[in-house]
Amino acid sequence: MKHWFLPSFLFGLLAGAWLLPAPAAQAAGLDRAGLVQDLCGDAGAMGRAGAALTATAATGSDDERAWAAPLARAAIDRKLACDAAGAVLTEGGLDALTRAPREAQGTPRSPLLSLKNRPVYELADAAFALRGAPDAGRRAAALRTLERRPALIPEGLLDMAAEAEGDAGLKAQIEALAQTAALNAADPAARIRALSRVADNRSRRALTQVTALAQDPAYASNPEFRAAVDAATARIERGIAIGDALATLYNGLSFASILFMAAIGLAIIFGLMGVINLAQGELIMIGAYVTFMVQQGLRHAAPALLDWYLILAIPAAFLVTAAIGIALEALLLRHLYRRPLMSLLATWAVSLFLVNLVRVVFGTQNLQFETPFYVSGGVPVIGDFIFTWNRMFAIAFAAVTLALTWLVVRKTPLGLNIRAVTQNRDMAACIGIPTRRVDMMAFGLGSGLAGLAGLALSPIYSVNPQMGQNFIIDSFMVVVLGGVGTIAGTVVAALGIGQINVLIEPLWGAVAAKVIVLLMIIGFLQWRPEGLFAVKGRRK
Amino acid sequence: MVKFSRRSFLQASGLAAAGLASPVGMPAVLRSAQAQSGPVKLGCLFSSSGTMANLEGRLNYVVKMAADEINAKGGVNGRTIEVLVSDPASDWPLYAQTAKQMLQQEKVAALFGCWTSVSRKTVLPVVEQEGGLLYYPLHFEGDENSKNVVYVNSPPASSVLPAVDYLMSDDGVSAKRFFMLGSDYVWPRTINKQLKGYWASKGIPESAWKEEYVPFGFSNFQTLVNQIRAFADQGGGQPVVVLTVVGNSIPDFMREFANQGILATDIPVLGLDMVEADLEGLDTSKLVGHLNCWAYLQNAAGPANEAFLKSWAGYVGANKVPFSPDVSIDPMVSAYDSVHLWAMAAAKAGSFDVPEVSKAFAGLSFDCPSGYKISMTGENNYVARGVFIGSVNDKQGFDILWQSKDTPTPVPFSPYG
């Protein structure tokens, strides 16, 4: 946004200077002084100023547009300082009217756009950018802003922009938008063209727009128009149905990936040692804090890599939490293996200790994470389905974690030992497997996976000392339902719980969804107490 | 002659030892002896652990800061103020237990505490039974008027309703449709019930609103944001979201909302419990324009606010307070007002007895950092406050979008509920 701002700003300055000797040119179109005055007025006056700016963007002369463009941007960014003598653009310190350098007098007021005026100014700003921005990316962004509110686009703007547009692809997009805007035009052929354009965007909003046309007189009189409306409605409805189905799947998958990440470490620890590790949630939290520290480290050491902190933090998050897990096992749990209740209490104490330690060191506030491009925003796919990148990151991360965990457990000597000890500890010890060391390594692996969960969750959830407590119940649910100690069980249980939750939520609400899922799990465990996938063999 | 068996001797000596060693038994005796000369005690009921810690924790320090200010001017009725801090650990029943201890054992002259309505409701029977006085610094659902509670912040009629009115007006966004999303407990449910009554009284049909609740601490808002989008795209006028989720659900909801590409200009969110602290850690550039409503915003103009912000920053620096020196939220200011209002009432009554202090409430007024002169009447224990509507800016704060001309008279019982 700022890229084009400065050059056009300078251009505005030049244009202003060039205009000074010819005041007659000013008087012809835009009432500049009145506009600046309105910009500093109340909500109503600012609305008028916004409308004037939008109109200028469409029909104003080149120098008028160059003069007015910085005003729209400044009003949005609150970079306009109103004082007794008018207004000053604070970025650059220029008078809003004359563009002569000056300081604001007294205590200037910077007007705040009301919610009603904000879209008007954003539209004006985008309209100026579409016609005047030297950077094609900026013009494309402006076009996307305009697309949000096709009804408000001033007449003639798109035609002029398309005419001046040098980029062929962008030109086609502008023309397409111009056709959409013709939905309520007089010419039936243009309306039918517009209908097919509107139907390309298969959302509920488009549906509302199109179904409203059924009340149009042309719908009854013109069979061609009627057929076009019906076809567009059917097409949009199909798109929405597909979009809703995809959205449900995606939401379920995304919730499942969160559940899986939280539970996989626990599945290994619980499956192997039968230790109920209540500190698992806190290990997730510590993973997120390590990610934060890596981010802060990069900020100082290598700012160029800052955007990639989520990737670079992977080894750190894994190793730190694995080390904590190993220390926990060696110092505490090792002595409590024969007393499951004691180990439960001990890990609970550890969880309280970790929460308070982090609180003392970092404070209770939510941590401030950068949001790099790959975890911010989303792309609309079809209907109302939006593919959000932070969720996709968690899903991809869960998939990779699953693959690696499966490799470790299935294909490495350590994994073989872990499986042997899980199935029959005494027999494994008899054939010479160092069960104590396997315990320690497995605990480290499980804890490290929790750390990775913290990393994957940091773009989705707020990170604070209490964040781990939200996960412990859910992850136990997944582990118990899946069958203790199996990766496949954890995956299927996470997918099942995630999907069922997402299906129930819109019907009966989020509170009922939790209750119903819990009841379903209890019912299932009555029928199959060993869970979905029980490890075959004798367990104690 | 009394015969000592081994057992009775042990019992007796055990009791005696307990009596001696008990941390409450002995000091209580000493305290009552010096009651007329020592410092007067105020108790805080704000959690420094659990889900509410990040928000409630800072109020402890504000109460201490206000007490220091009063002490620096010579205290109240010739005695200095001592502030006792507790930690009810965000555990609602523990608030009642702590309140009881403070009232019975420490004999505090007044309590300052609670954030959530559910914690206030547990403390209410305790202060009523013990004849204590609780200053409650949060805006809340109203429909309550105990002589033992001072409601320092606004009931819905002077906080939520003006904000909703603004959204429905032409100056706002001419809102026609409402999606209510709240945490599942007394405050959101009561607020939403009153809002529905209010809209019904304005002739808005029932089809124009939708109500959803999530459990405490809920964070997975994907499906709900989908529902909001579907609701908004149905047409029928400008939709708004009335958000009454609390705690961490607020930032998690806002993040998902922005990620799904919804801007404030499409569907504005009126976050009734949203404060500056909830925006910490969020990229607010995509949230610009969302709203909240309180009786104070950090950007409030005027010398009283400047002085408050300066003394808070100074207090944080001097006492190593683990909270940000440059974030100030409404409940902090309300807690600050509470201590001053209590001190004024006690000074006016010339006593620390709750009935005497309560009688002195009528006619009190105080220059609140919000810039308004807040006041109390003899009619009820509510405080008349100004109303602000804030708009999220890109610097994780709120700009003032609208503020009331004066302080509307608080209406404890809503006619719409």
Side-chain angles (χ1 to χ4, degrees), chain B residues 26-367:
Chain B
M26 192 170 64
V29 174
L30 292 178
R31 229 171 252 125
S32 59
Q34 51 166 285
Q36 293 310 311
S37 56
V40 58
K41 291 188 170 179
L42 301 181
C44 283
L45 292 173
F46 297 114
S47 295
S48 4
S49 61
T51 44
M52 300 307 294
N54 187 32
L55 293 169
E56 287 188 20
R58 44 192 102 203
L59 304 192
N60 284 320
Y61 298 97
V62 175
V63 171
K64 281 191 192 163
M65 180 179 98
D68 285 358
E69 273 177 20
I70 294 165
N71 286 341
K73 288 182 188 155
V76 187
N77 298 342
R79 287 166 68 183
T80 55
I81 303 173
E82 185 188 337
V83 176
L84 301 177
V85 171
S86 63
D87 181 13
S90 310
D91 176 10
W92 317 136
L94 201 53
Y95 282 80
Q97 208 180 318
T98 318
K100 197 167 206 161
Q101 263 174 358
M102 288 225 182
L103 288 168
Q104 286 184 338
Q105 292 165 8
E106 305 290 348
K107 310 274 181 218
V108 294
L111 287 165
F112 298 84
C114 304
W115 182 294
T116 60
S117 284
V118 51
S119 59
R120 188 192 70 249
K121 291 278 185 198
T122 66
V123 172
L124 186 64
V126 174
V127 284
E128 286 190 337
Q129 199 182 356
E130 301 289 330
L133 193 56
L134 170 72
Y135 280 79
Y136 178 63
L138 260 284
H139 71 185
F140 71 119
E141 71 277 9
D143 283 359
E144 189 184 295
N145 190 14
S146 166
K147 65 178 173 33
N148 297 92
V149 181
V150 180
Y151 306 93
V152 185
N153 217 320
S154 303
S158 34
S159 61
V160 182
L161 293 190
V164 171
D165 268 339
Y166 174 80
L167 280 174
M168 288 163 67
S169 72
D170 287 338
D171 276 349
V173 290
S174 316
K176 296 273 185 293
R177 288 159 57 75
F178 308 89
F179 195 106
M180 295 168 268
L181 176 61
S183 293
D184 199 5
Y185 77 107
V186 58
W187 176 66
R189 283 197 180 262
T190 317
I191 289 273
N192 289 342
K193 195 174 88 188
Q194 295 181 6
L195 281 176
K196 285 187 287 183
Y198 181 65
W199 290 323
S201 78
K202 295 232 160 190
I204 294 174
E206 209 168 303
S207 58
W209 64 73
K210 195 165 185 229
E211 206 178 352
E212 286 290 338
Y213 294 96
V214 296
F216 260 115
F218 187 80
S219 343
N220 204 24
F221 283 101
Q222 231 177 348
T223 319
L224 280 158
V225 175
N226 284 357
Q227 277 175 265
I228 291 173
R229 280 198 294 134
F231 176 80
D233 288 344
Q234 279 162 12
Q238 172 70 44
V240 296
V241 176
V242 180
L243 188 73
T244 41
V245 299
V246 294
N248 274 325
S249 297
I250 298 174
D252 290 338
F253 172 81
M254 298 311 286
R255 185 179 294 115
E256 183 65 34
F257 203 72
N259 264 330
Q260 292 204 15
I262 314 174
L263 299 176
T265 45
D266 304 326
I267 312 172
V269 173
L270 174 63
L272 294 185
D273 199 42
M274 188 158 68
V275 290
E276 284 83 348
D278 290 310
L279 300 178
E280 285 169 0
L282 282 181
D283 172 17
T284 51
S285 64
K286 287 177 187 155
L287 298 171
V288 172
H290 289 305
L291 308 169
N292 71 352
C293 65
W294 287 98
Y296 165 87
L297 288 176
Q298 185 166 352
N299 280 328
N305 192 29
E306 280 163 30
F308 176 80
L309 291 172
K310 208 173 138 202
S311 51
W312 170 246
Y315 189 83
V316 169
N319 296 281
K320 299 209 167 48
V321 175
F323 291 101
S324 167
D326 29 61
V327 171
S328 158
I329 59 180
D330 173 313
M332 279 168 62
V333 167
S334 301
Y336 174 82
D337 294 342
S338 304
V339 180
H340 281 284
L341 283 173
W342 171 82
M344 289 162 85
K348 190 174 158 194
S351 157
F352 296 114
D353 280 346
V354 172
E356 298 294 317
V357 172
S358 304
K359 269 185 218 147
F361 286 156
L364 286 185
S365 71
F366 177 66
D367 283 313

